[in-house]
Amino acid sequence: MPILEVKDIHKRFDRSEVLKGISFSLEKGDVLGIIGSSGGGKTTLLRCINFLERADKGTISVNGKVIFDADQHDLTVEQQRENQLNFGLVFQQFNLFPQYTVLENVELAPRLLKRYPDAEIRERSMSLLKRVGLDQKIDRYPCQLSGGQQQRVAIARALAMNPSILCFDEPTSALDPELTGEVLKVIRELAEAKMTMIVVTHEIAFARDLSDKIIFLDHGVIAEEGPAKQVIDNPQKERTKAFLNAIQK
Amino acid sequence: MVQEVMLRLCAGFVKTIELFLLTLAGAIPLGLIVAFGSMSKFKPLKIVVRFIVWIVRGTPLMLQLIVIYYGPGLLFHQNIWGMGTSGRFTAVMVAFIINYSCYFSEIYRGGIESISKGQYEAGQVLGLTRRQVFFKIVLLQVIKRIVPPMGNEIITLVKDTSLARVIAVYELIWAGQTFIKSDGIIWPLFMTGIFYLVFSGILTVLLAKFEKKLSYFN
Ligand SMILES: Nc1ncnc2c1ncn2[C@@H]1O[C@H](COP(=O)(O)OP(=O)(O)OP(=O)(O)O)[C@@H](O)[C@H]1O
Ligand SMILES: [Mg+2]
C-alpha cells in the first residue's frame, strides 16, 4: 500500500483554477520530485497537502486512511491538526522563529504539544541538529546564521515533529549558489536514510539524482510523470522537453 | 516659601503620575481589543471601530475631554460623573483611556500586520494552535516592533496629562501656576518644566533599555 495517495485535487483562486485534478501516489521511503514552470501550481499543491490551503475537491490518504476529503466539513480542529502532522514542510524562506535560538526553534513544537518527555525532546533535537551539521551552533539566533544554516535548522525543526512525509518547497532557491550544496547534501542524506519526501525544486540535476519518481506539473495538471531518469533524460511530452530545454540553457 | 512650593508641586505631580499610570494601565490592554476590532473579519465591526479610531485620532484630546465631561450633563440633564474632584478625575480618565487606546491600537495593528505570513504558517504546519502561534511566536516579535512608536506615545502622554486642567483637575502645571496669582512668582512654573523633563528623561532611558533588551533578534 502506498504511504501517500493524492486523488483528484482541485484548487481554485477566484477565477483561475490552479490545480485541475492532481492524482499521484508515493511509496514509503521514496522521494517524489516535482518540477514545472513558474505559476504551474507546485507551491499550491504542497500547501494543499500541508493543510495551508483547503482543496476544493479531492482526497488525501496516508497509509490507506483518508486524512483529507474536500467533501467532508465536520473535522474538528484537533483532528485536522493531528492529520496534518503526518506531514512536515520546509519553506523556501526558512521561516525560522527569530526570537528563539537554534535549539529552541527545534524544540518549540514538541515541547508545546508535549509530544515526548522533555529529556527525550532534548536528546532527539540534539541528534537532529547533529544530523544537519549544526550541533555546534545550538545557542545561535537565526540572524547569526547563513541562509544555508538557517535552512538546515528548518529541516531539523520539521523533523522534530516526526512527520511521515517531509515536503520541501524550493528549499534552495532563496540561497546564494555557494550555499545550496550544504542543504542539498542534507536532503540527499535523508533520502539515503529512507525518509519519504516530496521535493519541489528547480535544480533539475539534483531532482534527477535524488528522486525515485518525478512529476512535471504544468498549468495545474500533471503533464508527465515517471521514473526520475526517464522523465529528465528521455521526456516523452513536448511540454516537458520544452521546459527542460529552457531551464537547462 | 520654597518648601511650600515644593510641597504643592509634589501634590500636583502625584496627580500627574496618577493620570499617566492609570491611562497606561487602561489603554494598553484596551488598545489591543480595539486593534483586534479594527482587524476583524466581520466587516461591520471593522468599519465601526476604524471610524471611531479615525474620529478620536483626528480631533484634539482637549475637545474630547470637554465633550466627555460636559456632554452627558447637557444631553441627559444629569451629571453621570458624580460631584466634585473625583467626578472630574473619572471623566478625565475615561477620555484619556479612550484617546490613548485608539492611538495604541493603530500601533498594535501596524505591528501585527508587519509579521510575515510565513511565521504563522511555520507554526501551523508544526501543529501549534492559533493561540500558541500568537502568544509563543508572534507576540514578542510584535512587541519588539512597537516599542519605539509606543515610546513616542508614552512620552507624549507625559505632557498630555497637563490637559486635565481644562476640567479643573489639579495637576502639576496648575499647581505651579497658582503661585503667579497668589505670590507673583513665576519660578514654580519653571520648576514644573523640570519635573516633566526629569520624568520623561527617566522614561526615555527605561524605554531605550527595553529596546536594547530585545535587540538580540530581528
Ligand atoms: N493565495 C492565492 N490567491 C490567488 N492566486 C494565487 C494564490 N496562490 C497562488 N495563486 C496563483 O496560483 C498560481 C500557481 O501558483 P503557485 O505558487 O502554486 O505556482 P508555483 O508552481 O509554485 O510557481 P513558482 O515556481 O513560481 O513557485 C499562480 O498563478 C498564482 O498567481
Ligand atoms: Mg512555488
Side-chain angles (χ1 to χ4, degrees):
Chain A
M1 189 203 306
I3 187 169
L4 173 67
E5 211 166 359
V6 171
K7 271 195 203 144
D8 200 29
I9 292 288
H10 289 252
K11 177 69 190 176
R12 151 184 303 279
F13 290 115
D14 307 318
R15 287 283 155 70
S16 64
E17 189 160 40
V18 175
L19 299 176
K20 305 168 184 160
I22 304 292
S23 305
F24 64 86
S25 64
L26 185 59
E27 295 297 327
K28 189 168 161 51
D30 276 3
V31 176
L32 171 67
I34 300 182
I35 59 173
S37 46
S38 187
K42 305 179 297 295
T43 297
T44 307
L45 177 60
L46 279 194
R47 290 173 61 84
C48 286
I49 293 174
N50 281 276
F51 293 77
L52 290 176
E53 304 283 356
R54 192 177 198 286
D56 304 318
K57 184 164 180 270
T59 62
I60 299 171
S61 312
V62 172
N63 289 318
K65 181 171 168 266
V66 177
I67 60 153
F68 172 80
D69 182 347
D71 295 330
Q72 192 189 354
H73 290 273
D74 56 357
L75 223 57
T76 66
V77 180
E78 297 301 318
Q79 278 171 319
Q80 182 175 322
R81 195 170 17 256
E82 210 45 52
N83 290 345
Q84 170 209 309
L85 282 173
N86 284 294
F87 302 96
L89 178 61
V90 175
F91 299 84
Q92 191 174 343
Q93 300 294 344
F94 332 133
N95 293 335
L96 292 182
F97 307 131
Q99 73 268 43
Y100 292 119
T101 64
V102 165
L103 184 60
E104 287 166 345
N105 262 277
V106 176
E107 291 190 340
L108 183 71
R111 275 191 199 279
L112 287 178
L113 298 173
K114 306 203 177 12
R115 283 312 248 205
Y116 312 96
D118 280 2
E120 198 182 329
I121 291 175
R122 174 56 49 85
E123 206 177 298
R124 282 173 41 87
S125 304
M126 287 305 296
S127 91
L128 285 170
L129 284 168
K130 189 158 191 168
R131 211 163 154 186
V132 299
L134 287 170
D135 49 331
Q136 301 300 315
K137 307 228 187 276
I138 57 169
D139 290 326
R140 299 286 180 91
Y141 287 93
C143 62
Q144 302 171 310
L145 301 178
S146 72
Q149 291 169 335
Q150 290 190 47
Q151 191 61 302
R152 286 186 280 147
V153 176
I155 294 172
R157 181 179 69 176
L159 288 170
M161 288 306 287
N162 207 12
S164 313
I165 299 155
L166 187 56
C167 305
F168 294 84
D169 189 7
E170 300 192 30
T172 58
S173 53
L175 298 176
D176 294 338
E178 69 269 22
L179 298 178
T180 59
E182 60 190 67
V183 173
L184 298 183
K185 176 167 166 276
V186 167
I187 300 175
R188 202 171 284 130
E189 284 166 3
L190 287 171
E192 279 158 18
K194 287 292 163 205
M195 181 80 206
T196 314
M197 295 189 284
I198 302 177
V199 184
V200 170
T201 182
H202 283 143
E203 308 257 346
I204 299 298
F206 174 69
R208 177 187 177 279
D209 296 341
L210 179 83
S211 314
D212 298 283
K213 182 165 132 183
I214 282 192
I215 283 178
F216 172 57
L217 197 59
D218 193 42
H219 292 99
V221 295
I222 295 180
E224 181 161 355
E225 69 175 304
K229 298 198 172 58
Q230 180 195 309
V231 174
I232 304 289
D233 299 340
N234 191 13
Q236 302 299 308
K237 302 274 168 49
E238 287 308 315
R239 273 146 88 185
T240 324
K241 282 180 198 166
F243 169 74
L244 288 172
N245 272 333
I247 204 168
Q248 275 160 344
K249 238 183 261 156
Chain B
M1 184 70 203
V2 173
Q3 204 184 3
E4 195 202 322
V5 169
M6 289 314 276
L7 274 175
R8 296 261 290 277
L9 289 187
C10 282
F13 188 54
V14 166
K15 207 73 195 167
T16 292
I17 300 248
E18 216 175 304
L19 280 166
F20 174 80
L21 290 178
L22 288 174
T23 302
L24 286 187
I28 286 175
L30 187 60
L32 194 59
I33 295 171
V34 176
F36 284 134
S38 72
M39 293 184 291
S40 171
K41 292 212 175 76
F42 182 58
K43 271 263 172 66
L45 177 66
K46 178 167 124 178
I47 290 169
V48 168
V49 171
R50 290 205 182 180
F51 185 69
I52 294 171
V53 169
W54 176 66
I55 289 180
V56 171
R57 298 208 323 154
T59 58
L61 175 54
M62 169 102 76
L63 179 62
Q64 292 162 23
L65 272 168
I66 296 168
V67 167
I68 284 180
Y69 182 59
Y70 294 105
L74 293 174
L75 285 177
F76 311 116
H77 302 290
Q78 59 176 355
N79 184 352
I80 61 166
W81 302 116
M83 285 296 136
T85 341
S86 79
R88 290 199 298 274
F89 188 75
T90 313
V92 168
M93 282 325 308
V94 169
F96 270 69
I97 288 175
I98 291 176
N99 182 274
Y100 272 83
S101 298
C102 290
Y103 277 96
F104 289 171
S105 80
E106 285 295 278
I107 294 176
Y108 294 160
R109 185 161 71 88
I112 291 173
E113 287 176 348
S114 75
I115 304 299
S116 83
K117 215 174 69 177
Q119 291 291 305
Y120 294 90
E121 294 183 343
Q124 195 187 328
V125 295
L126 287 166
L128 304 187
T129 64
R130 287 176 58 135
R131 185 175 272 272
Q132 287 170 329
V133 169
F134 184 77
F135 285 104
K136 301 288 180 178
I137 297 173
V138 176
L139 186 60
L140 191 63
Q141 297 182 46
V142 172
I143 290 174
K144 181 187 166 83
R145 290 189 199 184
I146 66 175
V147 169
M150 285 293 279
N152 288 339
E153 286 303 323
I154 287 171
I155 299 294
T156 304
L157 173 60
V158 173
K159 295 166 284 177
D160 272 356
T161 53
S162 61
L163 292 173
R165 59 166 305 183
V166 300
I167 55 172
V169 168
Y170 186 88
E171 46 66 63
L172 183 57
I173 291 193
W174 190 349
Q177 203 181 7
T178 51
F179 291 99
I180 296 181
K181 264 194 215 140
S182 61
D183 304 85
I185 48 172
I186 195 153
W187 67 265
L189 200 57
F190 287 124
M191 200 65 213
T192 67
I194 295 186
F195 272 83
Y196 284 112
L197 279 175
V198 170
F199 187 33
S200 57
I202 291 172
L203 286 171
T204 306
V205 170
L206 289 179
L207 284 160
K209 273 206 169 135
F210 188 50
E211 208 172 312
K212 185 126 188 277
K213 232 182 156 170
L214 291 174
S215 66
Y216 68 92
F217 71 90
N218 59 28

